[in-house]
Amino acid sequence: MGLSKHRRLRRREEFRRVLRDGNRARDALLSITAADNGTPDSEPRYGFAIPKRVGGAVTRNRIKRRLRAIVNQTDHPRGWDYVIYAFPAASDATSERLAQSVETLVKRLRSGGRNRRTEQRARGPR
RNA sequence: CGAGGCGGACGGGCGACCGCUGCGGGUCGGUGCGAGCCGACCUUGUGGAGGAAAGUCCGAGCACCAACGGGCAAGGGCGCCUGCUAACGGCAGGGCGGGGCGACCCGACGGAAAGUGCAACAGAAAGAAUACCGCUUUCGAUGUGGGCUACUAGCCCGUUUUCAUCGAGAGUAAGGGCGAACGGGUGCGGUAAGAGCGCACCGCGUCGGCGGUAACGUCGGCGGCAGUGCAAACCCCGCUCGGUGCAAGGCCAAAUAGGGGGGCGUUAAGAUGAUUGUCCGCAUCAGCUCCCGGGUAGGCCGCAAGAGGUCAUGGGCGACCGUGAUCGCAGAUGGAUGGUCGCACAGGGUUGGCGGUUGAGGGAAGAAGGCUGCGAAGCCGUAAACCUCGCCGCGGUCUGGACAGAACUCGGCUUAUAGUCCGCCUCGCUGA
RNA sequence: GGCCCGUUCGUCUAGUGGCCCAGGACACGGCCCUCUCAAGGCUGAAACAGGGGUUCGACUCCCCUACGGGCUA
């Protein structure tokens, strides 16, 4: 299923911020990076990064659509942004396997606490 | 029935639930006197990928570069003819050449007597010459037989001859040999042997007639073979091409820096300028004057009516064109057009099931047998059960859609593509 | 999205139509040398991205495809 505009990451700046400050977890299919977006009450937002080596436009669109449908059906913590990166193995995976992958990775990120890198920088000088 | 050729259509269907996005409608909020504008949400409304959307290989529209102003040169592209088209390297028809029994298919198909270059190896010789073998002939040396018929013989020529061998020279491109290629071919004449040396036909060149808009075809005369191939080698000839690309370009407008635009006018010199170079021409640069926010991030426009689709009709062999009616047909921007499940239907694989088919092999010694022949021998020639493999139908079971995603828009080309359907045509076998 | 390049042994490269069944270096295999290893010597295997065309002949020239890279915000 689709995902409306305000729940997507839509700017280069937003992608850069999440990838720079977020925590990352990955398995054979996906790599998910999550970052606190500063407004705790907002719905979670998602961005997808699927490189060309995964396949042609048809394959990449299919993965993106499946991931959007999966993400729209699950409740992730509010106030976070996610960037989901796909590996080539994801092109052969079923929707069920992708959903499993997303669930375990997000769970692992939640147990990992708040943005590690932001906290480290806050403790340092400056 | 089998094998094939050409052209065309489709390329997943239905349902349930959950979603995305454009447009329309509605509600609410902000702003404004207001028309309105902006934003959020809702929606029993409506639209939402392709034949290639792809590769980015050509051609255009559109936009900007002050003016796509001219000449010369360079560079790129195209290349049988005629037409179609906005244009094209595309398409249609025709010509020529090649392939196929045929339907039909394929062809970068101008010029090699304008010039330059290249043609390895082999070979005597690869571009105007060449003699390796062979053939012929002259001279010299040595030897004495040689030819024909025929089968151990005969006939003829001759003893300054003839013939053989060797050496030296000349002629010869018919034959052998070399090679991708030796530069006309075949036949007859001719000759010491040969040769376009001569003749006929074919090819080639050239001149003329006729047919055709033309490419070209055809007929006749003349020439008498000089003149090999390669231009996807340089090149010549003809035609053609300004550059950049929607990240073009325009509008609104945080930040930052101080400038930007119009008009008049000097154009003497010089400089600059844009689109490959150069020349001419042109524009700008002085000064005066008038006007003004600027334009990055971001947003909006460009951005969906166009050389448009469908149907009918008329013209044309056709590409295509005219007329009429009718339709309204995607507009995303981290990038929508989908996700999950179910049901059928094509299709494919498999099968210890059922039924059919004799298609192949075994059974089967091509036996028995028959015919021809004096004979040796040769020719003709077949049945069944059953078994194995195969094929067809039904059933079971498993599988189950190819290539692929708009990014300013069109016209083409090229490439990828499971499977299904339709029309026309060709060849073979069989039946009526 | 648009515009341009490139592809030769495992790696880096040479090769401007025939002298190239493609040369060199490093790496690899075998043998010699040495007590052994290294170095050295001898020797071997190993490539024109794929398909089609032009040509007598293609790594080279032309076309298509695949892959890789660069510029453009």
Side-chain angles (χ1 to χ4, degrees), chain A residues 2-74:
Chain A
L3 202 58
S4 57
K5 277 182 180 176
H6 70 281
R7 298 193 53 194
R8 281 181 261 155
L9 296 181
R10 304 191 61 193
R11 294 163 159 279
R12 185 174 175 76
E13 203 40 49
E14 294 167 342
F15 272 79
R16 281 238 306 269
R17 187 182 57 77
V18 171
L19 292 173
R20 192 182 60 232
D21 297 338
N23 294 330
R24 191 165 299 164
R26 70 176 182 203
D27 63 9
L29 299 180
L30 304 172
S31 168
I32 300 183
T33 306
D36 192 338
N37 65 11
T39 50
D41 289 337
S42 70
E43 293 187 75
R45 299 191 301 173
Y46 303 90
F48 302 94
I50 298 161
K52 254 188 181 167
R53 46 170 300 154
V54 170
V58 174
T59 307
R60 283 181 281 133
N61 273 339
R62 187 170 56 239
I63 293 170
K64 203 187 296 177
R65 285 164 181 157
R66 282 175 166 170
L67 288 173
R68 270 206 294 266
I70 288 162
V71 141
N72 203 33
Q73 279 177 325
T74 45

Side-chain angles (χ1 to χ4, degrees), chain A residues 87-106:
Chain A
F87 295 108
S91 60
D92 299 326
T94 60
S95 284
E96 200 178 345
R97 287 210 53 207
L98 288 173
Q100 269 177 14
S101 183
V102 169
E103 196 184 341
T104 58
L105 290 175
V106 168

